[in-house]
Amino acid sequence: MTILVTGGAGYIGSHMVHELTDLGEPVVVLDNLSTGFRFLLPNKVPFVTGSSGDRELVAQTIARHGATAIMHFAASIVVPDSVRDPLGYYANNTMNTCNLLDAAIKAGVQEFIFSSTAAVYGNAEQVPVRETAPTAPISPYGTSKLMSEIMLHDAGRAHGLRFVVLRYFNVAGADPKLRTGQSTPNATHLIKVACEAALGKRAKLQLFGTDYPTEDGTCIRDYIHVSDLGKAHLLVLEALKEKDRLIYNLGNGKGFSVREVIETVRRVTGHPIPARVSPRRPGDPAVLVASSEKIKQELSWQPGYGDLESIVQSAWEWRKAHPDGYRTFEHN
């Protein structure tokens, strides 16, 4: 079984490709390199440059490599950008997923794992959030992913495609072997930009809103290590042999405010991190914390990085090894 990984040259996708190849799984990567980098991947992995929404290219790639399963990571993911450019997000996230599904079903793909987001929940009424919670996204990013989920359910029901939807909370950290990590230049991930500030690569951080209904006034998020995310993908890939139409949250079940994350990065790195208060960003919920009990009970998934400090330490080791981010690879 060859696995087609869309967006496989990005932060999470490249990590997943390493996880799969470490296990000897045959993989082919499709990525348009808008935010990804070919050099993050093992040299032996077949690579196709292009869009996951290009039906003809997807069909050719599936046929040429005999792909029977797809892990779909390719997407635009910055919430404030989605508010500024909603149609661009619906085009890249929703319409491209529609085209990918159409090509995959016609080519006989049997299994589909979709990277979704906690943003589909919006301002959740109950915390921690369970998979049965109402979906009410407050950003075009969240809506674009929810629309893709709906399409996937309908297509699976109509065509017999087995699928899993994985709703990520905040992904952070790096490959323990330092083969890949988060260094995408325009990425807004808090731990990533805090580590940049610790290295002096960024003058200061912005605290986007300090008037949220939380203890210290800043947003609260749940952080999950990228390796734990990868292990969950391996488990659901195996589960699809016997199960179908699965939805799982992926988080640690612990919430940390923006101020708490910054303080943890200060403590781990030993560096001051200047922070400036800025207005709220549109589309940011006050609190998003996962209940991941369902995947723990059904698939025996357990996070190996269960505390914020170990996740930050992982991200910091990557940034120390690659202070200039992905440019380090380009110059070697």
Side-chain angles (χ1 to χ4, degrees), residues 48-64:
V48 179
T49 304
S51 170
S52 60
D54 185 332
R55 285 183 172 94
E56 183 176 350
L57 180 61
V58 169
Q60 291 172 353
T61 302
I62 291 170
R64 184 175 297 120

Side-chain angles (χ1 to χ4, degrees), residues 204-262:
K204 63 185 68 175
L205 293 188
Q206 289 179 283
L207 288 175
F208 292 107
T210 57
D211 59 346
Y212 285 94
T214 61
E215 188 171 339
D216 66 17
T218 62
C219 292
I220 292 176
R221 294 292 182 267
D222 185 344
Y223 293 86
I224 177 173
H225 193 279
V226 65
S227 292
D228 291 328
L229 197 80
K231 289 180 174 59
H233 282 73
L234 296 175
L235 288 171
V236 299
L237 183 64
E238 182 68 21
L240 276 176
K241 294 177 181 178
E242 299 179 354
K243 301 180 180 182
D244 186 16
R245 302 180 191 177
L246 304 173
I247 298 178
Y248 293 118
N249 289 339
L250 289 177
N252 262 314
K254 303 171 186 174
F256 297 93
S257 73
V258 173
R259 291 188 190 277
E260 287 175 322
V261 173
I262 293 173

Side-chain angles (χ1 to χ4, degrees), residues 118-126 129-137 146 167:
V120 301
Y121 295 117
N123 280 309
E125 296 177 359
Q126 293 185 332
V129 185
R130 298 184 181 275
E131 291 84 352
T132 53
T135 48
L146 180 58
R167 292 172 176 166

Side-chain angles (χ1 to χ4, degrees), residues 24-222:
E25 296 283 357
V27 175
V28 57
V29 171
L30 174 63
D31 198 301
N32 65 7
L33 298 179
S34 59
T35 58
F37 299 88
R38 173 68 180 89
F39 50 76
L40 292 176
L41 302 172
N43 291 328
K44 64 181 180 180
V45 171
F47 184 85
V48 179
T49 304
S51 170
S52 60
D54 185 332
R55 285 183 172 94
E56 183 176 350
L57 180 61
V58 169
Q60 291 172 353
T61 302
I62 291 170
R64 184 175 297 120
H65 297 277
T68 58
I70 293 177
M71 291 186 178
H72 182 33
F73 296 96
S76 301
I77 63 170
V78 181
V79 169
D81 285 354
S82 79
V83 176
R84 288 188 290 267
D85 181 24
L87 296 182
Y89 269 66
Y90 293 133
N92 193 43
N93 291 358
T94 312
M95 294 171 65
N96 279 354
T97 298
C98 180
N99 292 344
L100 175 65
L101 283 170
D102 181 55
I105 289 166
K106 289 177 178 176
V109 168
Q110 301 166 5
E111 299 165 351
F112 197 99
I113 298 174
F114 179 59
S115 299
S116 192
T117 171
V120 301
Y121 295 117
N123 280 309
E125 296 177 359
Q126 293 185 332
V127 177
V129 185
R130 298 184 181 275
E131 291 84 352
T132 53
T135 48
I138 61 173
S139 69
Y141 166 59
T143 303
S144 73
K145 287 289 193 174
L146 180 58
M147 292 167 69
S148 298
E149 287 190 20
I150 294 169
M151 286 192 305
L152 185 53
H153 278 274
D154 291 343
R157 186 178 300 110
H159 301 288
L161 179 69
R162 300 195 301 277
F163 67 86
V164 179
V165 170
L166 295 176
R167 292 172 176 166
Y168 304 168
F169 284 65
N170 287 52
V171 186
D175 172 42
K177 297 179 182 178
L178 300 184
R179 297 171 294 185
T180 183
Q182 175 53 275
S183 294
T184 305
N186 296 325
T188 58
H189 301 70
L190 176 58
I191 292 175
K192 177 252 188 186
V193 298
C195 287
E196 288 176 346
L199 281 170
K201 300 294 182 180
R202 181 182 294 260
K204 63 185 68 175
L205 293 188
Q206 289 179 283
L207 288 175
F208 292 107
T210 57
D211 59 346
Y212 285 94
T214 61
E215 188 171 339
D216 66 17
T218 62
C219 292
I220 292 176
R221 294 292 182 267
D222 185 344

Side-chain angles (χ1 to χ4, degrees), residues 258-280:
V258 173
R259 291 188 190 277
E260 287 175 322
V261 173
I262 293 173
E263 186 54 41
T264 301
V265 177
R266 286 175 178 146
R267 186 168 63 252
V268 168
T269 65
H271 291 280
I273 301 175
R276 182 183 67 192
V277 174
S278 297
R280 290 187 182 192

